[in-house]
Amino acid sequence: MNRLTTNRPGISRGILILYGVYLLLPLYWLLSMSLRSNADIVGEFSFLPPTTTLANFAEIFSNPVWYEGFINSLSYVTINTLISLAVAIPAAYAFSRYRFLGDKQLFFWLLTNRMAPPAVFLLPFFQLYSAVGLFDTPLAVALAHCLFTVPLSVWILEGFFSGVPTELDEMAQIDGHSFLYFFVRVFLPINRGAIGVTLFFCFMFSWVELLLARTLSGASSKPIVVVMTRTVSASGIDWGVLAAAGVLTVLPGVLVVWFVRKDLVKGFALGRVS
């Protein structure tokens, strides 16, 4: 029994290492393909690239179709994230602090919007945006994504905000602070981890979503996820360029996680405790 107890940390560490290798292997293979030519990719199998080339990345940075796709994606993802946080933060505070007629029904209605598949809203969004002139703009995709990210953000933030004692609000009022001062200088910094978690989920949903982005964008605002599905040419699929685009597509998500990593870990820990 003592021997099993002593070996248990080593076994757990070994399982974690194997799981980490399993998760990193597709990323390594994607990077390896991005540094190979098409001939090497479709040729004999080799774990290490026989020869490396940066021609695939050069094609992306020199071809306006590719780098404009990245700009379009970053544009609507940023707009969607800012709108979602701006709407969800006060809404979640209201749900966590006040009780009013129909509050539970309204909260449930927000969640039902998140439960519906994006395909349900394709035709209404397409006709509406075409009528008002928003079709083929980053704002169109951002607003469509808000239908899903705002309810998710309200649901996440309400759980965190409810864990903050209401006595904190009362103490700030007794000390003579205005509500705006308390909310911006006290309440939001306390819930910085919750905002980091919400920002992460909003960004990732909008960054990887394909159906709405493909339907509501045309020639001038195609996001990178749409461009990556149109890499077939007369000579076939350009695997190297597609892999290089995949590597560059992963980088924004990695950067977001890196910058909010402390708040993200803190937010998940608070959510687990509460």
Side-chain angles (χ1 to χ4, degrees):
M1 181 65 67
N2 292 334
R3 183 177 300 176
L4 290 176
T5 305
T6 304
N7 293 335
R8 189 172 298 170
I11 296 175
S12 301
R13 191 179 299 111
I15 293 175
L16 288 176
I17 292 174
L18 290 176
Y19 184 64
V21 172
Y22 170 75
L23 293 179
L24 292 176
L25 184 60
L27 296 178
Y28 164 76
W29 200 251
L30 183 67
L31 179 62
S32 175
M33 289 178 61
S34 67
L35 298 175
R36 305 185 188 199
S37 63
N38 278 337
D40 292 335
I41 294 175
V42 299
E44 294 183 0
F45 173 82
S46 61
F47 193 76
L48 296 175
T51 57
T52 58
T53 177
L54 295 176
N56 299 319
F57 291 97
E59 169 65 19
I60 290 178
F61 289 115
S62 61
N63 191 336
V65 175
W66 284 105
Y67 63 75
E68 287 178 2
F70 278 103
I71 295 174
N72 292 331
S73 294
L74 290 174
S75 298
Y76 72 71
V77 168
T78 303
I79 295 172
N80 168 69
T81 303
L82 293 177
I83 294 177
S84 298
L85 290 178
V87 173
I89 288 175
Y93 180 85
F95 280 118
S96 65
R97 287 297 189 269
Y98 305 113
R99 294 294 174 263
F100 50 90
L101 181 63
D103 56 345
K104 295 181 180 180
Q105 290 76 11
L106 180 59
F107 191 76
F108 178 75
W109 174 76
L110 285 173
L111 293 181
T112 58
N113 290 337
R114 184 64 184 88
M115 297 173 187
V120 174
F121 304 98
L122 283 179
L123 184 58
F125 274 134
F126 180 81
Q127 291 186 331
L128 178 63
Y129 290 159
S130 299
V132 300
L134 278 179
F135 178 75
D136 198 15
T137 62
L139 181 60
V141 183
L143 292 177
H145 285 175
C146 284
L147 183 64
F148 301 93
T149 55
V150 168
L152 177 64
S153 302
V154 173
W155 179 64
I156 294 174
L157 291 173
E158 192 274 337
F160 284 104
F161 290 176
S162 297
V164 179
T166 57
E167 288 78 8
L168 189 66
D169 307 49
E170 299 171 357
M171 289 176 59
Q173 187 175 5
I174 293 174
D175 292 339
H177 296 303
S178 64
F179 174 77
L180 183 62
Y181 178 90
F182 160 74
F183 191 75
V184 176
R185 300 295 298 273
V186 179
F187 191 79
L188 290 184
I190 290 177
N191 291 279
R192 189 172 58 182
I195 297 174
V197 173
T198 308
L199 186 149
F200 169 76
F201 279 108
C202 289
F203 179 91
M204 293 310 298
F205 173 86
S206 190
W207 184 253
V208 303
E209 198 279 329
L210 175 61
L211 188 60
L212 290 172
R214 185 170 186 173
T215 305
L216 301 177
S217 62
S220 60
S221 64
K222 287 188 298 185
I224 188 60
V225 290
V226 176
V227 177
M228 291 178 65
T229 62
R230 301 176 181 177
T231 56
V232 181
S233 62
S235 58
I237 299 178
D238 198 341
W239 296 107
V241 174
L242 186 60
V247 172
L248 295 177
T249 303
V250 172
L251 287 180
V254 174
L255 291 176
V256 169
V257 173
W258 173 260
F259 283 114
V260 301
R261 65 189 185 282
K262 295 182 181 179
D263 297 330
L264 196 63
V265 173
K266 181 181 178 182
F268 279 125
L270 290 174
R272 183 170 60 250
V273 171
S274 61

